[in-house]
Short mmCIF file of all heavy atoms in Angstrom, two decimals:
data_model
loop_
_atom_site.label_atom_id
_atom_site.label_comp_id
_atom_site.label_asym_id
_atom_site.label_seq_id
_atom_site.Cartn_x
_atom_site.Cartn_y
_atom_site.Cartn_z
N ARG A 44 130.68 103.71 93.78
CA ARG A 44 129.84 102.61 94.30
C ARG A 44 128.50 102.56 93.56
O ARG A 44 127.97 101.48 93.28
CB ARG A 44 129.57 102.81 95.80
CG ARG A 44 130.74 102.49 96.69
CD ARG A 44 130.81 101.00 96.99
NE ARG A 44 129.62 100.53 97.70
CZ ARG A 44 129.10 99.32 97.53
NH1 ARG A 44 129.65 98.47 96.68
NH2 ARG A 44 128.03 98.96 98.22
N LEU A 45 127.96 103.74 93.26
CA LEU A 45 126.67 103.79 92.56
C LEU A 45 126.79 103.13 91.19
O LEU A 45 125.90 102.37 90.78
CB LEU A 45 126.24 105.26 92.35
CG LEU A 45 125.56 105.94 93.53
CD1 LEU A 45 125.17 107.36 93.16
CD2 LEU A 45 124.34 105.14 93.96
N ALA A 46 127.87 103.41 90.48
CA ALA A 46 128.05 102.82 89.16
C ALA A 46 128.11 101.30 89.26
O ALA A 46 127.51 100.57 88.47
CB ALA A 46 129.32 103.38 88.53
N ASP A 47 128.80 100.82 90.28
CA ASP A 47 128.95 99.38 90.48
C ASP A 47 127.61 98.73 90.84
O ASP A 47 127.21 97.70 90.28
CB ASP A 47 129.99 99.17 91.59
CG ASP A 47 130.18 97.70 91.90
OD1 ASP A 47 130.47 96.95 90.96
OD2 ASP A 47 130.00 97.31 93.08
N LEU A 48 126.89 99.37 91.77
CA LEU A 48 125.59 98.83 92.20
C LEU A 48 124.59 98.85 91.05
O LEU A 48 123.77 97.94 90.89
CB LEU A 48 125.05 99.64 93.39
CG LEU A 48 125.78 99.41 94.71
CD1 LEU A 48 125.51 100.53 95.70
CD2 LEU A 48 125.35 98.06 95.31
N GLN A 49 124.66 99.89 90.23
CA GLN A 49 123.71 99.96 89.11
C GLN A 49 123.92 98.80 88.14
O GLN A 49 122.96 98.25 87.59
CB GLN A 49 123.83 101.28 88.35
CG GLN A 49 122.72 101.37 87.31
CD GLN A 49 122.96 102.38 86.22
OE1 GLN A 49 124.03 102.98 86.17
NE2 GLN A 49 121.98 102.56 85.38
N GLN A 50 125.18 98.43 87.92
CA GLN A 50 125.43 97.30 87.00
C GLN A 50 124.74 96.04 87.51
O GLN A 50 124.17 95.28 86.75
CB GLN A 50 126.93 97.04 86.90
CG GLN A 50 127.62 98.05 86.02
CD GLN A 50 128.84 97.48 85.33
OE1 GLN A 50 129.13 96.29 85.44
NE2 GLN A 50 129.55 98.33 84.62
N LYS A 51 124.79 95.87 88.83
CA LYS A 51 124.15 94.68 89.41
C LYS A 51 122.63 94.77 89.27
O LYS A 51 121.96 93.81 88.91
CB LYS A 51 124.53 94.54 90.88
CG LYS A 51 126.01 94.23 91.05
CD LYS A 51 126.32 93.77 92.45
CE LYS A 51 127.76 93.32 92.56
NZ LYS A 51 128.55 94.11 93.52
N LEU A 52 122.09 95.97 89.56
CA LEU A 52 120.63 96.17 89.43
C LEU A 52 120.19 95.89 88.00
O LEU A 52 119.17 95.24 87.76
CB LEU A 52 120.31 97.62 89.82
CG LEU A 52 118.84 98.03 89.72
CD1 LEU A 52 118.26 98.23 91.13
CD2 LEU A 52 118.67 99.34 88.96
N TYR A 53 120.98 96.36 87.07
CA TYR A 53 120.68 96.22 85.64
C TYR A 53 120.74 94.75 85.22
O TYR A 53 119.89 94.25 84.49
CB TYR A 53 121.68 97.05 84.84
CG TYR A 53 121.44 97.03 83.34
CD1 TYR A 53 120.46 97.83 82.77
CD2 TYR A 53 122.20 96.22 82.51
CE1 TYR A 53 120.24 97.82 81.40
CE2 TYR A 53 121.99 96.20 81.14
CZ TYR A 53 121.00 97.00 80.59
OH TYR A 53 120.79 96.99 79.25
N GLY A 54 121.77 94.05 85.73
CA GLY A 54 121.94 92.65 85.35
C GLY A 54 120.91 91.75 86.00
O GLY A 54 120.32 90.89 85.35
N GLU A 55 120.63 92.02 87.26
CA GLU A 55 119.75 91.12 88.02
C GLU A 55 118.28 91.28 87.60
O GLU A 55 117.52 90.31 87.62
CB GLU A 55 119.89 91.42 89.52
CG GLU A 55 119.21 90.41 90.41
CD GLU A 55 119.34 90.73 91.88
OE1 GLU A 55 119.24 91.93 92.25
OE2 GLU A 55 119.54 89.82 92.68
N LYS A 56 117.88 92.48 87.30
CA LYS A 56 116.49 92.79 86.85
C LYS A 56 115.43 92.34 87.85
O LYS A 56 114.33 91.91 87.47
CB LYS A 56 116.22 92.18 85.48
CG LYS A 56 117.14 92.73 84.40
CD LYS A 56 116.50 92.85 83.07
CE LYS A 56 117.35 93.56 82.03
NZ LYS A 56 118.68 94.03 82.39
N LYS A 57 115.78 92.43 89.12
CA LYS A 57 114.82 92.05 90.17
C LYS A 57 114.20 93.31 90.78
O LYS A 57 113.04 93.30 91.20
CB LYS A 57 115.57 91.25 91.23
CG LYS A 57 114.71 90.57 92.24
CD LYS A 57 115.56 89.62 93.08
CE LYS A 57 114.92 89.38 94.42
NZ LYS A 57 115.89 88.82 95.38
N HIS A 58 114.99 94.36 90.86
CA HIS A 58 114.54 95.62 91.47
C HIS A 58 114.67 96.77 90.47
O HIS A 58 115.57 96.77 89.63
CB HIS A 58 115.42 96.00 92.66
CG HIS A 58 115.47 94.96 93.74
ND1 HIS A 58 114.52 94.88 94.72
CD2 HIS A 58 116.35 93.97 93.97
CE1 HIS A 58 114.82 93.87 95.53
NE2 HIS A 58 115.93 93.29 95.09
N GLY A 59 113.79 97.76 90.63
CA GLY A 59 113.96 99.03 89.93
C GLY A 59 114.07 100.13 90.97
O GLY A 59 113.76 99.92 92.15
N LEU A 60 114.52 101.30 90.55
CA LEU A 60 114.66 102.41 91.49
C LEU A 60 114.05 103.67 90.89
O LEU A 60 114.35 104.04 89.75
CB LEU A 60 116.15 102.65 91.78
CG LEU A 60 116.48 103.85 92.69
CD1 LEU A 60 115.96 103.63 94.11
CD2 LEU A 60 118.01 104.09 92.73
N LEU A 61 113.17 104.29 91.67
CA LEU A 61 112.59 105.58 91.27
C LEU A 61 113.11 106.65 92.22
O LEU A 61 112.97 106.54 93.43
CB LEU A 61 111.06 105.52 91.32
CG LEU A 61 110.33 106.87 91.11
CD1 LEU A 61 110.63 107.45 89.72
CD2 LEU A 61 108.83 106.70 91.29
N ILE A 62 113.72 107.67 91.63
CA ILE A 62 114.23 108.80 92.42
C ILE A 62 113.42 110.04 92.06
O ILE A 62 113.34 110.41 90.88
CB ILE A 62 115.72 109.06 92.09
CG1 ILE A 62 116.56 107.84 92.48
CG2 ILE A 62 116.23 110.32 92.79
CD1 ILE A 62 117.99 107.89 91.95
N VAL A 63 112.78 110.64 93.06
CA VAL A 63 111.98 111.84 92.83
C VAL A 63 112.75 113.06 93.36
O VAL A 63 113.18 113.06 94.52
CB VAL A 63 110.61 111.73 93.55
CG1 VAL A 63 109.85 113.05 93.50
CG2 VAL A 63 109.78 110.60 92.95
#
Side-chain angles (χ1 to χ4, degrees):
R44 285 276 299 146
L45 278 182
D47 178 55
L48 287 162
Q49 186 198 5
Q50 283 210 4
K51 294 194 173 119
L52 178 110
Y53 182 80
E55 190 181 40
K56 299 214 172 1
K57 191 170 156 197
H58 302 275
L60 176 66
L61 172 62
I62 297 169
V63 171

